[in-house]
Amino acid sequence: MARPTPLSGFPEWLPAGRIVEQHVLDTLRRTFELNGFAGIETRAVEPLSELLRKGETSKEVYVLRRLQAEADEAAVVDDSSLGLHFDLTVPFARYVLENAGQLSFPFRRYQIQKVWRGERPQEGRFREFYQADIDAVGAGELPFHVEVELPLVMAEALAALPIPPVRILVNNRKVAEGFYRGIGLDDVDAVLRSIDKLDRVGPEVAADFLQQEAGASAEQARACLALAGISGSDARIAEAVTRLAREFGATSELLETGLAELVALVEAAAAVAPGVLVADLRIARGLDYYTGSVYETVLVGHESLGSICSGGRYDELATDGANTYPGVGLSIGVSRLVSRLLGENLVRASRSVPSAVLVAVTSEDTRAASTRVAGSLRARGIPVEVAPNAAKFGKQIRHADRRGIPFVWFPGAEGAPDEVKDIRSGDQVPADAAAWEPPSADLWPAVTAGEA
Amino acid sequence: MARPTPLSGFPEWLPAGRIVEQHVLDTLRRTFELNGFAGIETRAVEPLSELLRKGETSKEVYVLRRLQAEADEAAVVDDSSLGLHFDLTVPFARYVLENAGQLSFPFRRYQIQKVWRGERPQEGRFREFYQADIDAVGAGELPFHVEVELPLVMAEALAALPIPPVRILVNNRKVAEGFYRGIGLDDVDAVLRSIDKLDRVGPEVAADFLQQEAGASAEQARACLALAGISGSDARIAEAVTRLAREFGATSELLETGLAELVALVEAAAAVAPGVLVADLRIARGLDYYTGSVYETVLVGHESLGSICSGGRYDELATDGANTYPGVGLSIGVSRLVSRLLGENLVRASRSVPSAVLVAVTSEDTRAASTRVAGSLRARGIPVEVAPNAAKFGKQIRHADRRGIPFVWFPGAEGAPDEVKDIRSGDQVPADAAAWEPPSADLWPAVTAGEA
């Protein structure tokens, strides 16, 4: 086998990078659990029919076939074929329907798993990546306050990470739909798709899109762009939208409801986490299943990364005809975030192995004594490894140094006490394996903001 | 969408089951990290050429195709096609070769990920399941003591789980190969494959296999079966094997080396964890890449489950021609273990959500007060959720009870103190959200042996 090369779009980390990723995943999980979300995992595959039912990424599905399938069988891709999930929302909706009889509603779950998208490789596009989702779904109904709570849980989770501050941008589908219909534009999805492109293409091209794709007049396009220009974090956004609606002769009960929700959301959020949530009427979210609040999140100073945490309220995603489970959910694109953190050296791990201590081996004859020291330290929760061979101590210390292990332990010969050396300072002191503890900051690898 | 049904071979757990699985995964991870193993993850896919290079499960690979691939492209499965990994050993060998320049050797890693096998569904066979692996690889060489250390790390990890005790059965390829060649059987792989079937088919059929597949005489087959009947946990196994070898006129340096290693392994293990490791010369392990110690593990009282943790020493698995990285590794089949634990009620979670406390809501007007209580408890590391609506308190208590949440918190009205109720005992006492703590046993869901 020749030396293998990486596969584009399938990120892998060296051990120190994985410590950073694991720290991010652990921190998210802890915040989700502190907020009472139950963890679930779903299988990696769904029937193709499910994957193609909703969402705009349907083209990017990886379809599976068994290598040993008959030729006939292998050539056919039909509804019963299995594909890898491209997000965690579609599988979650299926899980809720499948297990509705055994779940208690409202059901709040988090889910941290990899997803796959069969895109052609291109810069910054991953074909395999971690998502970390939270959703709350009700049976038949779900109160509005969940639309306030969930983005704040995400804000809390993101604030616990060693990353720059985030800003969560929120809009409300009822505002958008009420306004668009109010000014006479009924193909709401087409308008949303055009507005969703605004950041990338600029207002002039977006106006063209609105006229060509959504059937807008120049005047209507101008109204849509004016709406998209409104942002703020208090009741003045409602006044601005209402003024604009009047200017274009739009009145709509849906618009009123949406504005009330949007203001309630930003005001409640401002009381808990000032400055984190901002209403921004440019936020469209391409997916057609959102029906209330929608969210996107930017990393301040890294806006080019795009939204790192998105979601919204959906009312019809999980329904089996007889029962419907409305929900609110947000999803963090973890791999893209971690890739940026590592790529720009924004975050680093203090070492590449868990071990706080390397126990030196004086000679292979006394390896058992070193193993006993390791067992004694480990029994008290100290991560430790034993030197792989009885090389000269200088070489054993270099072994620790290369991995960032801060302490080397020397078992005492013939009744002499053991000693432990902090290889950063060179300090070496007598120590008892049944009692010694490293400083708590050294116990596990630390993940800290880097120097970028 | 009609109510979906489960897919055979793709296990999913309800939230309480997932708490058990997560507990198992967390416990394994902690033991691996305490022993200084660095965590890595590899991508889910490998080039088909890699997957088919080694191992006996090559027929079971799931091949990927992009849904939007051209028809021509989709029909072709060649070496550049991607398949889902069927274990973590092949990807790990590739990772080591790919990153050798940036790793420090010996490199010790753990890896806990799902793997996939495109088998036809049948009872007890999973098509998607978790494996938890540890491996240590050296650059060019790896000392024997690693073959002693790694099964003991697994024994420690398994002992930390709420499961029945395990027994690790060990053999040594050098013993098997030295003995077989010594009695004149040179197709060692064929002999091993026949012996590997012994437990399933019995000695008579195994003797037939040995004669038909491995070219053994009746006498040679008898010798192989006699060897397979030897087991023990001290130097007497070496005596028994040596006696048997003499009886059949076999002498072999390789056999001597293997016996010395096997005895050293069981004796060193007996000193650390008495009774856990047993030499059993029946253990063959089908895979052709093992070259030294081989391991299988049974759950005492659940032998029908088969081996829950297997592995061995390999010398040639990771090589790029110029450099070779010999290793020792073991792999736990986590999903099959968890499935048995849940299916037979051997283990249970004390509740289905992380929350230790449900904060009641007196009226929707005072939800913000309940949210503040929750924030205060959470800031001190107590998992908590707020009631979804201001129903009658009895209903809110039932909401907690259904999920197994032990405490319900009642915010005090107009200056009255808050109170907290243990809904198991009914005891209700005044409490301060800035100071109250639940008993530590109630803080997180407990996973304990069940009543089966």
Side-chain angles (χ1 to χ4, degrees):
Chain A
M1 174 181 194
R3 185 170 156 210
T5 49
L7 276 180
S8 173
F10 292 91
E12 286 184 341
W13 315 124
L14 288 167
R18 172 61 184 164
I19 286 175
V20 169
E21 181 179 67
Q22 186 72 65
H23 174 79
V24 168
L25 297 175
D26 287 346
T27 303
L28 296 175
R29 172 182 161 194
R30 180 170 167 86
T31 305
F32 300 159
E33 293 187 346
L34 282 174
N35 281 276
F37 288 77
I40 67 162
E41 290 203 345
T42 57
R43 62 193 188 219
V45 302
E46 297 293 332
L48 204 52
S49 53
E50 279 310 297
L51 294 172
L52 302 184
R53 203 169 57 95
K54 283 275 188 188
E56 54 169 2
T57 51
S58 56
K59 288 179 206 164
E60 303 160 0
V61 175
Y62 275 121
V63 184
L64 299 187
R65 59 187 271 197
R66 293 189 304 114
L67 184 59
Q68 299 301 309
E70 303 300 320
D72 290 357
E73 197 185 320
V76 178
V77 175
D78 61 22
D79 278 4
S80 70
S81 298
L82 299 177
L84 293 174
H85 57 216
F86 55 79
D87 72 7
L88 302 177
T89 307
V90 170
F92 173 60
R94 189 263 313 153
Y95 179 94
V96 167
L97 293 178
E98 187 175 315
N99 299 295
Q102 294 164 275
L103 300 174
S104 296
F105 293 95
F107 176 51
R108 299 148 61 86
R109 81 86 176 83
Y110 75 90
Q111 192 169 349
I112 300 177
Q113 286 182 257
K114 284 177 180 162
V115 304
W116 294 270
R117 296 188 184 176
E119 308 196 48
R120 290 190 177 278
Q122 77 191 83
E123 187 61 40
R125 287 278 176 174
F126 287 149
R127 296 195 284 182
E128 173 177 68
F129 53 99
Y130 264 114
Q131 285 195 336
D133 284 27
I134 53 173
D135 284 81
V137 295
E141 57 180 12
L142 188 73
F144 169 72
H145 63 76
V146 178
E147 294 173 59
V148 180
E149 182 191 0
L150 263 65
L152 291 174
V153 173
M154 280 303 199
E156 187 182 328
L158 292 164
L161 297 178
I163 59 173
V166 301
R167 187 169 303 125
I168 301 181
L169 309 174
V170 300
N171 194 358
N172 190 298
R173 271 290 160 89
K174 292 170 188 164
V175 172
E177 180 167 351
F179 185 88
Y180 301 150
R181 288 195 196 280
I183 64 169
L185 290 172
D186 285 333
D187 189 350
V188 173
D189 287 346
V191 178
L192 287 171
R193 280 195 302 273
S194 300
I195 294 297
D196 200 30
K197 297 192 178 105
L198 180 55
D199 274 356
R200 274 198 305 278
V201 301
E204 288 183 25
V205 178
D208 287 348
F209 276 132
L210 283 163
Q211 292 175 59
Q212 286 156 27
E213 317 268 324
S217 67
E219 185 71 2
Q220 287 168 322
R222 194 171 67 78
C224 294
L225 292 173
L227 183 72
I230 295 173
S231 67
S233 49
D234 58 33
R236 283 173 295 179
I237 47 166
E239 293 161 22
V241 174
T242 305
R243 245 191 335 268
L244 183 67
R246 272 204 211 102
E247 185 189 328
F248 286 90
T251 58
S252 156
E253 207 173 299
L254 191 64
L255 176 61
E256 298 300 316
T257 307
L259 284 173
E261 290 183 356
L262 190 56
V263 169
L265 173 54
V266 292
E267 289 188 341
V272 177
V276 175
L277 261 84
V278 179
D280 188 327
L281 280 72
R282 196 176 76 243
I283 301 304
R285 304 292 306 136
L287 296 170
D288 60 8
Y289 50 67
Y290 292 122
T291 51
S293 302
V294 291
Y295 319 98
E296 293 194 353
T297 308
V298 292
L299 199 58
V300 175
H302 295 263
E303 287 77 4
S304 67
L305 196 54
S307 176
I308 58 164
C309 173
S310 309
R313 173 168 186 132
Y314 47 86
D315 282 315
E316 304 287 339
L317 187 64
T319 177
D320 59 11
N323 302 291
T324 296
Y325 302 88
V328 180
L330 290 101
S331 177
I332 299 179
V334 176
S335 297
R336 210 153 44 106
L337 180 60
V338 169
S339 179
R340 173 68 64 107
L341 296 179
L342 294 175
E344 300 199 355
N345 203 25
L346 293 170
V347 169
R348 57 187 299 279
S350 61
R351 53 187 191 253
S352 66
V353 292
S355 317
V357 181
L358 176 78
V359 182
V361 174
T362 310
S363 77
E364 285 301 332
D365 295 342
T366 60
R367 173 171 295 277
S370 297
T371 301
R372 274 195 300 277
V373 168
S376 178
L377 294 170
R378 200 160 56 236
R380 292 185 297 107
I382 301 168
V384 54
E385 61 189 86
V386 177
N389 52 55
K392 287 186 180 158
F393 282 159
K395 205 169 163 194
Q396 297 193 45
I397 289 169
R398 280 197 298 282
H399 178 96
D401 191 39
R402 264 197 304 277
R403 289 160 175 77
I405 301 174
F407 295 97
V408 177
W409 191 283
F410 300 100
E414 294 168 18
D418 293 2
E419 298 199 347
V420 64
K421 179 193 278 284
D422 182 330
I423 66 170
R424 297 161 301 190
S425 65
D427 293 348
Q428 185 166 335
V429 295
D432 175 1
W436 178 85
E437 305 221 356
S440 65
D442 288 330
L443 186 60
W444 293 100
V447 173
T448 49
E451 303 138 30
Chain B
M1 174 181 193
R3 184 169 157 212
T5 50
L7 276 180
S8 173
F10 292 92
E12 286 184 342
W13 315 123
L14 288 167
R18 172 62 185 164
I19 286 175
V20 169
E21 181 178 67
Q22 186 72 65
H23 174 79
V24 169
L25 298 174
D26 287 346
T27 304
L28 295 176
R29 171 181 161 196
R30 180 170 167 84
T31 305
F32 300 158
E33 293 187 345
L34 282 173
N35 281 276
F37 288 77
I40 67 161
E41 291 203 344
T42 57
R43 63 193 187 219
V45 304
E46 297 292 333
L48 204 51
S49 53
E50 280 309 297
L51 294 172
L52 302 184
R53 203 168 56 95
K54 284 274 187 188
E56 55 169 1
T57 51
S58 56
K59 289 179 203 164
E60 302 160 1
V61 174
Y62 274 121
V63 183
L64 262 52
R65 59 187 270 197
R66 293 189 303 113
L67 184 58
Q68 299 301 309
E70 303 301 319
D72 290 357
E73 196 185 322
V76 177
V77 174
D78 61 23
D79 278 3
S80 70
S81 298
L82 298 177
L84 294 175
H85 57 216
F86 55 78
D87 71 7
L88 302 176
T89 306
V90 170
F92 173 60
R94 190 263 314 153
Y95 178 94
V96 167
L97 292 178
E98 188 174 315
N99 298 295
Q102 294 163 277
L103 301 174
S104 297
F105 293 95
F107 176 52
R108 300 148 59 86
R109 81 87 175 82
Y110 76 90
Q111 192 170 347
I112 300 177
Q113 286 184 258
K114 285 177 180 162
V115 304
W116 294 269
R117 297 189 184 176
E119 309 196 47
R120 290 191 177 277
Q122 76 191 84
E123 186 61 41
R125 287 278 177 174
F126 288 149
R127 296 195 284 183
E128 173 178 67
F129 54 98
Y130 264 113
Q131 285 194 338
D133 285 26
I134 54 173
D135 285 80
V137 295
E141 57 179 11
L142 189 72
F144 169 72
H145 63 74
V146 178
E147 293 173 59
V148 180
E149 181 191 0
L150 263 65
L152 291 174
V153 173
M154 280 302 200
E156 186 181 329
L158 291 164
L161 297 177
I163 60 173
V166 300
R167 187 170 303 125
I168 301 181
L169 309 174
V170 300
N171 194 358
N172 190 298
R173 272 292 160 88
K174 293 171 187 163
V175 172
E177 181 167 351
F179 185 89
Y180 302 151
R181 289 195 196 278
I183 63 169
L185 289 173
D186 285 333
D187 189 349
V188 173
D189 287 348
V191 178
L192 287 171
R193 280 196 303 273
S194 300
I195 295 296
D196 200 30
K197 296 191 178 108
L198 180 57
D199 274 357
R200 272 199 306 278
V201 301
E204 289 182 25
V205 177
D208 287 347
F209 276 133
L210 284 163
Q211 293 175 57
Q212 286 156 27
E213 317 266 325
S217 67
E219 185 70 2
Q220 287 169 324
R222 196 171 66 79
C224 294
L225 291 173
L227 183 71
I230 294 174
S231 67
S233 48
D234 57 34
R236 285 173 295 179
I237 47 165
E239 293 161 21
V241 173
T242 304
R243 247 191 334 268
L244 184 67
R246 276 204 209 103
E247 184 190 330
F248 287 90
T251 57
S252 155
E253 207 174 302
L254 191 63
L255 176 61
E256 298 301 315
T257 307
L259 285 174
E261 289 184 357
L262 189 56
V263 169
L265 173 54
V266 292
E267 289 188 343
V272 178
V276 175
L277 260 85
V278 179
D280 188 327
L281 279 73
R282 196 176 77 243
I283 300 305
R285 305 292 307 137
L287 297 169
D288 60 8
Y289 49 67
Y290 292 122
T291 52
S293 302
V294 291
Y295 319 98
E296 293 195 353
T297 309
V298 293
L299 198 59
V300 175
H302 296 262
E303 287 77 5
S304 67
L305 196 53
S307 177
I308 59 164
C309 174
S310 310
R313 173 169 185 132
Y314 46 86
D315 281 315
E316 303 286 340
L317 188 64
T319 178
D320 59 11
N323 302 291
T324 296
Y325 302 88
V328 179
L330 291 100
S331 175
I332 300 179
V334 176
S335 297
R336 210 154 43 107
L337 180 61
V338 168
S339 179
R340 172 69 64 105
L341 296 179
L342 295 175
E344 299 199 356
N345 204 27
L346 292 170
V347 169
R348 58 188 297 280
S350 61
R351 52 188 192 253
S352 66
V353 292
S355 318
V357 181
L358 176 79
V359 182
V361 174
T362 310
S363 76
E364 285 302 332
D365 296 341
T366 61
R367 172 170 294 277
S370 298
T371 301
R372 275 194 300 276
V373 168
S376 178
L377 293 171
R378 199 159 56 236
R380 291 185 298 107
I382 301 168
V384 55
E385 60 190 88
V386 177
N389 52 55
K392 286 184 180 161
F393 283 160
K395 206 170 163 192
Q396 297 192 46
I397 290 169
R398 279 197 298 281
H399 178 96
D401 191 39
R402 264 196 303 277
R403 289 159 176 77
I405 301 173
F407 295 97
V408 176
W409 191 283
F410 301 99
E414 292 168 18
D418 292 3
E419 299 199 347
V420 64
K421 178 194 279 283
D422 181 332
I423 67 171
R424 298 160 300 188
S425 65
D427 293 348
Q428 184 166 335
V429 295
D432 174 0
W436 179 85
E437 305 221 358
S440 65
D442 288 330
L443 186 60
W444 293 100
V447 173
T448 50
E451 303 137 32

